Amino acid sequence: MGKALGLPFAELERLARVTDGWHAEKVADELDGLPGRHTGPRWEAFRELTHEIAGLPRHISQHPGGMVISTRPLIDLVPVQPAAMAGRQICQWDKDSCGDAGFLKIDLLGLGMLSAVEDCIDRIARLRGEPIDLSRIPLDDPQVYAEIQLADTVGVFQIESRAQMQSLLQTRPENLDDLTVQVALVRPGPIQGKAVHPYVKHRHAKRDDPSFEPPVEHECLRECLRETLGVVVFQDQVLDVAMAAARFSIGEAEGLRRAMSRKRSEEAIEAFRPRFVEGCLGNGIGEATAHAIYDKLVGFAGFGFPKSHAAAFGLLAYQSAWLRRYFPAEFLCALLNAQPMGFYPPASLVRDAQRRGVEVLPPHINRSRAQCALEDGAVRIGVGYVQAVGEADAEALAAGQPYAELGDLARRAAVKQDVLEAIVAAGACDEWGPRRQLLWQLGVTARGETVGGGNRQLALPLEPTAEIPELPEQTKWERMLADYRHTSLSVGLHPLELLRPHLPARVATTADLADTPSGTQLQLAGMAVARQRPATANGVVFMLLEDEFGQANLIVPPQVYEQYRAVIRGEPLLLARGKLERHDRNVNLLVREVHSLGPLARKAAAEAEVTSALPRAHHFGHR
């Protein structure tokens, strides 16, 4: 809308960084919170028009792997439009409309972790000569479960998010059945159905007393809720509860489940309530209890897994944890090659692996392959990880190895000049000299020309006649920022390692938190890795802050988030003040203030541009 009105791009970019996005009617209020003047006819039109478009479809929302099967041409039955990819078409009806019309529809779920696991297995077989059959690995490995119970699960499928980690510290899964419940537990459905805290409470009680029987609303529900300790965790249990409590037929129970699986289905769900209550009364269940049971089922309507789905995810979670435990280098290599995926950016995956003893090497023009690869037990970052290098460019650079020196690279590499400059700036050619001098030399090196048919006519291998001036060496800050800017990660220094000497002595580190008493007021500095604002959290924002020693969980109350929204959403380096809270094995910082460390970092880096070079935090959930 701002572009259509011709408003300044810089101001729109600032607004885009702080806006919630999901609520267009609030954009005008967020604009008033930005510094500077935003007055005049066009800004007024912007305020009005953004309010008017609230609720309109934002995009087509194409399912990435769905199919609709019909006995007649779809264009005779439903509206169809071309997709972005040539030769693909999109059915304009949503899945519920297709189901109501009687179409057979199939959803294909694509999981990046499956590709990463396959890559990891192939790599282990090639490098170690150990073909691994994941269907035959022990599913009760105590060392794997020990790491899971400690929430040491960065990079592990489904149980790596902060919410899952917090839950793992409480539930402490001991077998595959426990993992099946675990992956299904931290979902909107069980959370809204108020199943999480009772499950954790019952899990503690069961651990203390194996004979403990979890309470249920009525005895008829005990058997169908036994495996989940008295709460509804799986979609299948909605059917079981409806049939056990209200004596629904299987058809009625399926109708209730389908109503719950649809968006905007409150009326459809409530239409089943009278029949449910009536059935419960006929089964000897009081009216108040019947409504309480149904309210929990309604809460579950947010989103939940079928048990078969959760079991498949639980198995993949265990397999990825097993590979991470016993083949950490191969697993990291596969994870980096499968990006983007998962909860953590590549930089955090690298830091976690380094803390566990995996050596990670930077890109190298003669040693890196196109993708990340293993080199003498260490993970070598591939040249394809350099931001400006496409897949074809990476393959071309790898195919031409080895290169004798920069002039040889410039003359023989069949890539554009900006690709070579990015390779040098990212440090892949450091063995040939300082980066600034190499960039200068690259600018005056004759590269030859591309002639007909795509063949490259090489230039004569003459040394450049221009004298290379004395250029200042890059500082540690400049080298680290160049690594982040060009590869999105740094295998060497962490930003907080360089910033720490400039921070006040009373700023804590993540390593200090283990011995800090609950209730302590403290300050914590770090780089923002992830933000979560789940719809089920009543406006609370959960943040993950990382320093040179590890990671810490931040809980940002709604009023604090609103006050410091621009800093939380737009700044990579943060200083958080608050109170340390311990709940059993969970440790969190309840935040009362958040400030940007950008100005201090810029000063420490001798005015180098810090903020734009560092990766932005991953964001999940409601904006």
Side-chain angles (χ1 to χ4, degrees):
M1 192 62 71
K3 286 180 179 179
L5 292 169
L7 294 171
F9 178 79
E11 292 300 302
L12 296 176
E13 180 67 19
R14 290 173 64 197
L15 179 61
R17 288 194 173 203
V18 302
T19 184
D20 266 344
W22 293 97
H23 303 287
E25 68 274 10
K26 295 183 179 179
V27 170
D29 297 334
E30 293 164 343
L31 181 64
D32 293 336
L34 283 181
R37 296 185 60 191
H38 302 93
T39 57
R42 285 189 294 169
W43 282 114
E44 290 306 313
F46 178 77
R47 287 179 168 87
E48 294 177 11
L49 291 171
T50 51
H51 190 274
E52 286 184 17
I53 65 172
L56 294 178
R58 293 154 49 92
H59 49 76
I60 294 173
S61 233
Q62 175 187 356
H63 193 295
M67 294 185 292
V68 179
I69 299 176
S70 169
T71 56
R72 293 168 55 191
L74 278 178
I75 57 172
D76 295 342
L77 302 172
V78 296
V80 175
Q81 72 180 64
M85 184 179 292
R88 297 281 181 92
Q89 308 295 321
I90 302 175
C91 168
Q92 291 187 0
W93 289 0
D94 62 18
K95 67 180 181 66
D96 295 329
S97 299
C98 288
D100 292 339
F103 287 110
L104 174 62
K105 62 186 190 304
I106 301 172
D107 290 348
L108 301 179
L109 185 62
L111 298 177
M113 181 56 73
L114 290 174
S115 299
V117 166
E118 183 177 16
D119 182 14
C120 183
I121 294 296
D122 290 346
R123 206 171 290 275
I124 294 168
R126 286 199 313 269
L127 298 177
R128 301 188 182 221
E130 300 179 32
I132 294 175
D133 183 352
L134 285 181
S135 67
R136 297 182 179 275
I137 64 173
L139 298 178
D140 56 356
D141 190 301
Q143 294 186 2
V144 174
Y145 281 108
E147 290 188 351
I148 292 174
Q149 291 171 7
L150 290 172
D152 184 8
T153 55
V154 172
V156 176
F157 180 68
Q158 279 290 300
I159 54 173
E160 65 171 351
S161 72
R162 305 315 294 180
Q164 282 282 7
M165 284 185 173
Q166 298 267 303
S167 180
L168 287 171
L169 290 170
Q170 300 297 322
T171 60
R172 306 179 207 176
E174 299 174 357
N175 52 52
L176 207 54
D177 288 338
D178 292 344
L179 267 184
T180 298
V181 176
Q182 181 64 43
V183 299
L185 188 66
V186 185
R187 310 296 300 177
I191 292 171
Q192 291 174 355
K194 296 180 173 55
V196 177
H197 292 300
Y199 178 83
V200 171
K201 179 182 176 181
H202 299 164
R203 181 90 182 161
H204 277 290
K206 192 77 172 176
R207 189 180 300 115
D208 296 337
D209 179 11
S211 64
F212 169 76
E213 285 289 335
V216 291
E217 280 82 359
H218 191 271
E219 199 61 31
C220 68
L221 301 180
R222 184 167 302 282
E223 199 55 42
C224 59
L225 299 181
R226 181 178 298 279
E227 66 177 333
T228 54
L229 302 183
V231 297
V232 176
V233 174
F234 303 122
Q235 269 190 18
D236 320 56
Q237 292 175 310
V238 173
L239 280 71
D240 296 337
V241 168
M243 291 188 292
R247 295 177 176 172
F248 271 29
S249 68
I250 186 66
E252 289 175 311
E254 174 61 17
L256 175 61
R257 188 202 65 78
R258 288 190 64 196
M260 290 183 172
S261 69
R262 297 186 172 205
K263 293 183 179 179
R264 302 177 296 277
S265 59
E266 291 83 1
E267 292 182 8
I269 294 173
E270 285 302 315
F272 283 88
R273 186 185 289 269
R275 165 69 182 89
F276 186 89
V277 173
E278 179 186 350
C280 287
L281 292 174
N283 200 19
I285 300 174
E287 184 174 352
T289 303
H291 281 290
I293 296 172
Y294 196 78
D295 286 340
K296 289 187 176 182
L297 295 184
V298 170
F300 187 83
F303 184 74
F305 279 166
K307 185 180 179 183
S308 58
H309 190 147
F313 274 27
L315 177 61
L316 185 55
Y318 178 85
Q319 290 170 339
S320 58
W322 187 87
L323 289 170
R324 179 180 181 271
R325 172 69 181 82
Y326 292 107
F327 301 95
E330 289 88 346
F331 186 67
L332 173 66
C333 191
L335 275 186
L336 292 177
N337 288 336
Q339 295 298 309
M341 60 166 278
F343 186 85
Y344 298 92
S348 294
L349 297 175
V350 166
R351 295 291 175 192
D352 175 74
Q354 288 175 325
R355 283 190 283 268
R356 291 183 295 111
V358 177
E359 185 181 4
V360 186
L361 304 173
H364 190 288
I365 189 59
N366 281 328
R367 296 174 190 160
S368 290
R369 308 310 301 160
Q371 291 189 317
C372 299
L374 271 292
E375 180 183 310
D376 298 327
V379 177
R380 172 73 72 177
I381 302 299
V383 289
Y385 245 80
V386 179
Q387 301 288 358
V389 181
E391 186 176 340
D393 293 330
E395 294 290 348
L397 287 167
Q401 295 168 341
Y403 301 99
E405 38 79 32
L406 185 65
D408 182 40
L409 171 66
R411 286 186 290 269
R412 290 200 294 113
V415 297
K416 294 181 179 179
Q417 183 77 6
D418 61 336
V419 172
L420 291 181
E421 291 172 357
I423 287 289
V424 173
C429 303
D430 281 358
E431 70 172 3
W432 293 335
R435 297 182 194 181
R436 283 179 173 148
Q437 293 187 9
L438 291 176
L439 285 170
W440 179 279
Q441 184 181 344
L442 183 63
V444 296
T445 299
R447 298 200 59 212
E449 299 177 355
T450 300
V451 295
N455 296 319
R456 190 168 187 78
Q457 178 177 310
L458 300 181
L460 292 175
L462 301 176
E463 290 298 319
T465 56
E467 183 178 347
I468 300 176
E470 286 292 328
L471 299 171
E473 284 276 358
Q474 283 183 311
T475 65
K476 291 181 178 179
W477 273 100
E478 288 172 331
R479 289 172 67 89
M480 178 201 67
L481 293 173
D483 291 342
Y484 275 110
R485 184 179 294 110
H486 293 288
T487 65
S488 76
L489 54 85
S490 171
V491 304
L493 294 170
H494 191 282
L496 262 293
E497 198 171 341
L498 294 177
L499 190 58
R500 182 73 58 188
H502 303 274
L503 294 172
R506 62 184 181 277
V507 175
T509 70
T510 55
D512 299 329
L513 301 184
D515 302 321
T516 303
S518 182
T520 303
Q521 297 288 336
L522 56 81
Q523 302 179 88
L524 193 66
M527 184 164 67
V529 172
R531 288 187 308 271
Q532 285 180 287
R533 198 184 187 197
T536 55
N538 298 320
V540 175
V541 175
F542 303 94
M543 293 191 67
L544 181 62
L545 213 62
E546 179 185 84
D547 65 11
E548 67 271 42
F549 299 104
Q551 298 173 341
N553 298 313
L554 273 56
I555 298 177
V556 185
Q559 66 274 18
V560 177
Y561 175 70
E562 292 301 328
Q563 183 178 355
Y564 298 100
R565 178 201 296 268
V567 174
I568 291 172
R569 291 186 58 83
E571 296 293 331
L573 295 174
L574 302 175
L575 177 69
R577 296 191 177 103
K579 181 175 68 173
L580 192 72
E581 291 188 341
R582 292 183 181 277
H583 298 285
D584 194 14
R585 304 171 79 202
N586 296 126
V587 181
N588 302 300
L589 182 67
L590 181 61
V591 177
R592 71 172 189 276
E593 295 178 30
V594 185
H595 300 284
S596 171
L597 289 173
L600 179 62
R602 189 181 181 107
K603 182 178 178 182
E607 300 304 315
E609 184 49 55
V610 175
T611 300
S612 62
L614 295 178
R616 299 188 66 179
H618 281 191
H619 187 93
F620 301 91
H622 239 20
R623 291 181 175 274

